[in-house]
């Protein structure tokens, strides 16, 4: 069976890209189709892969301003000619699932979330736009994209959701079923738990819905050490908010990130995640997590065993949870055992079984 992989964008490295890496491990001969790539911002293995970009890659300034080209992006994924493949595995939180396939092919979508900015974050996304012309035009563009997203969602043969949280969204927005296969945590990257330092840690893309601003506010007020690893268009704003105890380190290699995981006192997750791999990476290091109690964190953090929750998206609520956290003790080995249920071997086996079953169903004669 010839397999192709499709991914939204390869211009920043996060949880979705770690999932894609697992797919690349499983299917080393499969090309990776993507709307745009900026491989200078990606780990080395992507530079060595067979990456096929859409025509948007050749549009001037597309690497930096692709989000201003929203009306082009549906056409970009529909332009991929995938006729020579038997199975297409798309990794999508936006446009990748919109590829066009024929009835003899199987399209399996590993859905990280339905497109956030046309569905559940629509009004928040519009509120973050300050250019008055773009702000007035954007609702019409997003309306068309939302309609396109619903129509193309019906072309997918099988959905895999990365969490129960996302599975509910797929049912809500697309009225379709999905099977939940949680993303993997790369245990091989991490050693045995080590003694904790005094700093708290965030590893994240620096974008508004991650709510890193409220964490900075809380740590400024408490004067506690906070290390933030990651990059994104919100970095300059966050840097201005950061007080003397907050460090923004930007993009760092896996090796450096592993060192910070190993030495942190706890990991902070402030946004409502679809699933969230980084909290599991912290737990794989035996470190507890302080997380906003909504979304994917409810599926990955065991309250009182591997972390604690704060219930409101505010600095005040986080401060209360930090104070509560300091009264508790955690067993690093138990935390690591909890995270082990999300290991890569489990993930790859579940994905392989899902694909095998989809192929068998396709081959069965229909009466």
């Amino acid at each position: 069976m010839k397999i192709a992989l499709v991914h939204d964008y390869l211009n920043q490295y996060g949880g979705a890209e770690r999932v894609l890496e697992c797919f690349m491990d499983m299917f080393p001969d499969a090309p990776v189709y993507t709307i745009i790539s900026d491989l200078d911002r990606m780990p080395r293995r992507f530079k060595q892969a067979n990456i096929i970009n859409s025509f948007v890659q050749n549009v001037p300034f597309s690497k930096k301003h692709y989000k201003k080209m929203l009306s082009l992006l549906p056409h970009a994924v529909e332009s991929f000619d995938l006729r020579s493949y038997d199975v297409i595995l798309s990794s999508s939180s936006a446009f990748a699932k919109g590829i066009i396939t024929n009835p003899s092919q199987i399209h399996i979508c590993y859905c990280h979330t339905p497109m956030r900015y046309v569905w559940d974050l629509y009004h928040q996304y519009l509120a973050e736009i300050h250019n008055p012309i773009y702000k007035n035009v954007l609702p019409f563009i997003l309306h068309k994209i939302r309609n396109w997203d619903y129509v193309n969602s019906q072309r997918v043969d099988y959905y895999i959701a990365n969490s129960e949280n996302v599975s509910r969204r797929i049912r809500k927005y697309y009225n379709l079923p999905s099977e939940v296969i949680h993303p993997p945590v790369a245990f091989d990257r991490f050693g045995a738990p080590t003694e904790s330092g005094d700093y708290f840690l965030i590893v994240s893309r620096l974008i508004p819905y991650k709510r890193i601003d409220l964490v900075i506010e809380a740590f400024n007020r408490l004067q506690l050490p906070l290390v933030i690893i990651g990059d994104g268009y919100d970095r300059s704003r966050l840097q201005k908010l950061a007080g003397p105890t907050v460090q923004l380190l930007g993009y760092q290699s896996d090796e450096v990130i592993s060192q910070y995981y190993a030495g942190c006192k706890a990991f902070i997750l402030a946004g409502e995640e679809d699933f969230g791999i980084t909290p599991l990476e912290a737990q794989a290091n035996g470190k507890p997590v302080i997380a906003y109690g909504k979304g994917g964190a409810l599926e990955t953090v065991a309250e009182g065993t591997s972390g604690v929750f704060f219930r409101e998206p505010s600095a005040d609520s986080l401060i209360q949870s930090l104070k509560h956290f300091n009264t508790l003790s955690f067993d690093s080995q138990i935390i690591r055992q909890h995270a082990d249920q999300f290991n890569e071997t489990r993930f790859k086996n579940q994905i392989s079984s899902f694909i095998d079953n989809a192929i068998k169903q396709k081959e069965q004669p229909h009466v």
Side-chain angles (χ1 to χ4, degrees), residues 335-348:
I335 293 174
R336 186 169 164 83
Q337 289 169 15
H338 170 73
D340 186 50
Q341 64 185 298
F342 299 94
N343 64 64
E344 280 191 348
T345 300
R346 179 273 319 168
F347 175 78
K348 291 176 180 178

Side-chain angles (χ1 to χ4, degrees), residues 13 118 131 149 162 178 184 189 223 277 284-285 335 345:
Y13 189 61
V118 302
N131 182 308
D149 188 54
N162 72 352
S178 58
R189 287 176 51 205
Q223 292 293 288
I277 290 179
N285 280 273
I335 293 174
T345 300

Side-chain angles (χ1 to χ4, degrees), residues 63-125:
K63 289 182 181 180
K64 186 175 181 180
H65 298 293
Y66 68 97
K67 288 189 176 180
K68 295 180 180 177
M69 304 175 185
L70 283 175
S71 59
L72 283 180
L73 304 188
H75 304 288
V77 294
E78 290 182 348
S79 72
F80 292 139
D81 186 352
L82 303 171
R83 288 174 296 173
S84 62
Y85 301 100
D86 303 298
V87 177
I88 296 93
L89 178 57
S90 63
S91 162
S92 182
S93 60
F95 295 93
K97 68 180 176 300
I99 55 169
I100 295 177
T101 58
N102 62 51
S104 67
Q105 297 173 300
I106 299 172
H107 177 191
I108 300 169
C109 175
Y110 189 88
C111 186
H112 304 281
T113 181
M115 201 179 302
R116 275 177 164 264
Y117 48 84
V118 302
W119 296 108
D120 50 318
L121 292 185
Y122 172 71
H123 294 288
Q124 179 180 326
Y125 182 66

Side-chain angles (χ1 to χ4, degrees), residues 225-246:
L226 173 67
V227 174
I228 301 171
I229 295 176
D231 208 350
Y233 66 85
D234 206 27
R235 183 177 177 181
S236 59
R237 181 179 75 92
L238 296 173
Q239 188 71 66
K240 293 174 183 176
L241 296 175
T245 65
V246 178

Side-chain angles (χ1 to χ4, degrees), residues 121-268:
L121 292 185
Y122 172 71
H123 294 288
Q124 179 180 326
Y125 182 66
L126 288 179
E128 293 168 1
I129 304 298
H130 302 296
N131 182 308
I133 297 176
Y134 195 49
K135 194 177 187 75
N136 287 326
V137 172
L138 190 58
F140 297 96
I141 297 173
L142 294 182
H143 175 74
K144 289 185 177 181
I145 290 176
R146 184 164 51 249
N147 288 340
W148 175 88
D149 188 54
Y150 177 80
V151 169
N152 81 68
S153 72
Q154 308 302 303
R155 297 201 297 254
V156 175
D157 296 302
Y158 302 97
Y159 275 100
I160 303 173
N162 72 352
S163 63
E164 296 291 346
N165 182 36
V166 166
S167 182
R168 288 191 292 269
R169 291 185 201 158
I170 292 171
R171 172 64 72 182
K172 169 70 174 179
Y173 300 132
Y174 302 152
N175 196 29
L176 291 170
S178 58
E179 181 169 322
V180 175
I181 300 179
H182 291 123
V185 59
F187 262 78
D188 292 344
R189 287 176 51 205
F190 312 116
T194 60
E195 187 174 347
S196 299
D198 64 345
Y199 64 89
F200 295 79
L201 179 66
I202 291 175
V203 178
S204 175
R205 294 173 179 167
L206 305 186
I207 50 181
Y209 85 83
K210 300 290 187 178
R211 295 312 316 271
I212 297 169
D213 52 348
L214 75 81
V215 184
I216 292 175
E217 180 186 346
F219 277 76
N220 284 346
R221 287 162 58 181
L222 294 174
Q223 292 293 288
L224 290 174
L226 173 67
V227 174
I228 301 171
I229 295 176
D231 208 350
Y233 66 85
D234 206 27
R235 183 177 177 181
S236 59
R237 181 179 75 92
L238 296 173
Q239 188 71 66
K240 293 174 183 176
L241 296 175
T245 65
V246 178
Q247 299 181 67
L248 281 83
L249 302 186
Y251 171 83
Q252 299 293 327
S253 67
D254 280 351
E255 292 76 15
V256 172
I257 292 173
S258 295
Q259 292 172 10
Y260 275 96
Y261 275 134
C264 73
K265 185 174 183 178
F267 186 86
I268 309 290

